[in-house]
Structures are given as C-alpha cells and as structure tokens.
Amino acid sequence: MKLKSIISKYSIEFFVILFSISVSFYLEKRRALIYKEKLKNESLSKIKQNILFADEDFRYNISIHKDAIESINSLYFRSDSLFNNRMNDSLGYYLHVATNYTTILVDNDEEYETIKNSGLIELIENKKVIELLQNKYSNHKFIKSIEEIILRDMIPEFKDFLSRYTQYDFNKPKHFGVWAGKNYSSKNRIPDYILEKLMDKSQLHKQYVMVVNNQLKRDSIIIEEINKEISFDN
C-alpha cells in the first residue's frame, strides 16, 4: 500500500507539472499570437492611411491629366482658328500644358511589403483584403507604365517643337511655381503631325484617368475590408 501511495503521489505531481508546462506553453503561444495580431492590425492601419493619402494624390493627378486632355483638344480642334486670329498666347499656353503635363507615381508600398515579407499577411482572416491589396499594387505597375510611355515616347519630341516655336512671356503669372506663360512664335500653323501625335498622347491621358478612377473605387472597398478585419480582431 505504501508503494502504491508513493507511485500515486508522484504520478499526480508529474501530471500537475506536465499540465503546468502545457498551460505555460499555451499561454506563451497565445501571447505571441496576440502580439502578432497586434502587429498585423498596426500594419493594416498604416496601409489604410497610406492609401488615403495616396488617393488624394491620385485625385490631383487626374486633374493634371484632364488639363492635358482639354489643352490637346483645344489645339486639335481650334488651333487653326486661334492661329488665324493671332491668339498666340492661347496657342502657347495650350502647347505648354499639352506637352508638359503628366505625372510620376511614387509608390508608398513599404508597409505592404513589410506585412507580406514578415508573414503577418497569413494572419489576415479576411482573404478579400489580401486579394485586393495584391491587385492594387499590381495595377500600380500598369499606371506607371502609362506614365513612362508619356515621358519616354511623347514628351521629348514635343519639347523640341516647343523650344523652337514658342517664347516665354515673363509678364504672365507663374503656374506651379515656374514660368508657364508662353507665346506661339512660328509664322506657320501647328503642323498636322504634331496635332496627331498630341492626340495620341491624349489617349494615354484618358487611359490614365480611367484606370486611376477605377483604382480609387477599389481603394474605397479596400478601406472597408481593412476596417472589417481590424474590428473583427477587436
């Protein structure tokens, strides 16, 4: 009986110790998970703020591309009339805007890359958030490609024409902090090939506006889904 009592006593102590260790491991694992969940939510909150800030830039960029489209249309459909009426200041202004206006997207995706590379993205319960974010930053590459075509293939040729056939008018106010006032100085009308190529550039501006407007709509959905993910954890 004494031996059985001893065995029973130590068995109970063993199971108590084993149980304590198991509980300790569980609590430690639980604390680590809670900490990771906190980091995930903090990253998602930062991503949300980055999107909100970037969307303000996107809206401003859309206005720049729309200005370029309007100036190109004015030149394409009215340049002869403006030239015949000696409205060289209007021709110079439209040429300046049509030629130079574009944007450069500077991606703010560091937080997204962090949550992806750290593995915290695997903790996101709402898989729609993951899908939307992946599509968003993939779409940013397409937006950049439109900007690159405008900068690389369009603007250089127009700048050469602009430097040859326009002159600065320093009596006019600055625009975006630089001298924007220019007068058309050529004795000849704007060549058809320039007008046609400007219209090609206009199509790229229109594509930019369409793609970015669609992204803005998707961004609002991303914000909603991130809010759901964060509120679910809380």
Side-chain angles (χ1 to χ4, degrees):
M1 288 295 293
K2 189 174 182 181
L3 180 60
K4 286 183 179 181
S5 297
I6 293 173
I7 293 174
S8 177
K9 175 185 175 183
Y10 283 109
S11 296
I12 293 171
E13 289 180 355
F14 172 77
F15 283 115
V16 168
I17 293 171
L18 183 62
F19 177 75
S20 299
I21 293 172
S22 299
V23 169
S24 177
F25 275 124
Y26 170 79
L27 292 175
E28 187 63 32
K29 188 175 180 181
R30 180 63 183 166
R31 280 194 291 268
L33 181 60
I34 291 173
Y35 178 68
K36 287 183 178 180
E37 289 282 354
K38 180 184 176 185
L39 291 179
K40 177 206 70 175
N41 288 341
E42 287 175 353
S43 288
L44 285 176
S45 294
K46 290 177 183 177
I47 289 172
K48 182 178 78 171
Q49 289 303 316
N50 288 343
I51 292 173
L52 291 171
F53 288 136
D55 283 357
E56 287 301 311
D57 289 338
F58 270 144
R59 291 185 183 93
Y60 179 72
N61 289 351
I62 285 174
S63 70
I64 291 176
H65 285 268
K66 284 184 174 180
D67 285 345
I69 292 168
E70 290 176 7
S71 289
I72 290 170
N73 286 340
S74 294
L75 290 171
Y76 193 85
F77 296 108
R78 296 173 51 216
S79 62
D80 283 350
S81 174
L82 293 170
F83 179 76
N84 291 334
N85 288 292
R86 300 182 182 279
M87 299 181 70
N88 293 334
D89 55 342
S90 295
L91 283 171
Y93 171 77
Y94 290 140
L95 276 169
H96 172 78
V97 174
T99 297
N100 291 304
Y101 275 28
T102 189
T103 57
I104 299 175
L105 172 60
V106 179
D107 240 340
N108 190 5
D109 60 349
E110 291 86 357
E111 200 62 42
Y112 170 69
E113 291 296 327
T114 297
I115 197 173
K116 185 174 68 172
N117 296 331
S118 66
L120 292 174
I121 198 168
E122 297 174 4
L123 298 177
I124 297 176
E125 296 287 339
N126 186 351
K127 300 308 176 186
K128 192 174 181 180
V129 172
I130 301 174
E131 180 184 350
L132 287 167
L133 286 174
Q134 288 173 339
N135 291 338
K136 172 180 174 59
Y137 291 107
S138 176
N139 196 43
H140 280 200
K141 294 178 182 178
F142 181 61
I143 293 170
K144 287 180 180 180
S145 72
I146 298 173
E147 294 174 325
E148 287 171 3
I149 293 172
I150 293 174
L151 285 166
R152 183 188 67 232
D153 298 340
M154 296 289 176
I155 287 181
E157 182 175 347
F158 296 136
K159 276 188 173 294
D160 179 67
F161 180 83
L162 203 66
S163 63
R164 287 172 183 267
Y165 301 113
T166 63
Q167 292 179 331
Y168 279 110
D169 185 347
F170 293 102
N171 293 317
K172 292 182 178 178
K174 291 183 178 181
H175 196 48
F176 292 121
V178 297
W179 294 108
K182 280 201 164 192
N183 292 326
Y184 186 61
S185 58
S186 176
K187 295 180 179 179
N188 300 312
R189 60 183 290 276
I190 298 174
D192 286 340
Y193 82 92
I194 289 291
L195 295 174
E196 291 301 324
K197 190 147 192 178
L198 280 171
M199 189 53 71
D200 289 339
K201 183 172 180 279
S202 178
Q203 306 314 305
L204 291 167
H205 289 298
K206 290 176 181 176
Q207 188 176 29
Y208 178 96
V209 171
M210 179 188 69
V211 171
V212 172
N213 270 327
N214 288 335
Q215 185 59 58
L216 286 171
K217 293 175 184 176
R218 286 192 289 268
D219 283 352
S220 65
I221 298 173
I222 294 174
I223 299 301
E224 291 177 6
E225 297 299 327
I226 286 177
N227 287 337
K228 290 178 186 177
E229 173 72 18
I230 295 173
S231 63
F232 176 80
D233 289 336
N234 293 332

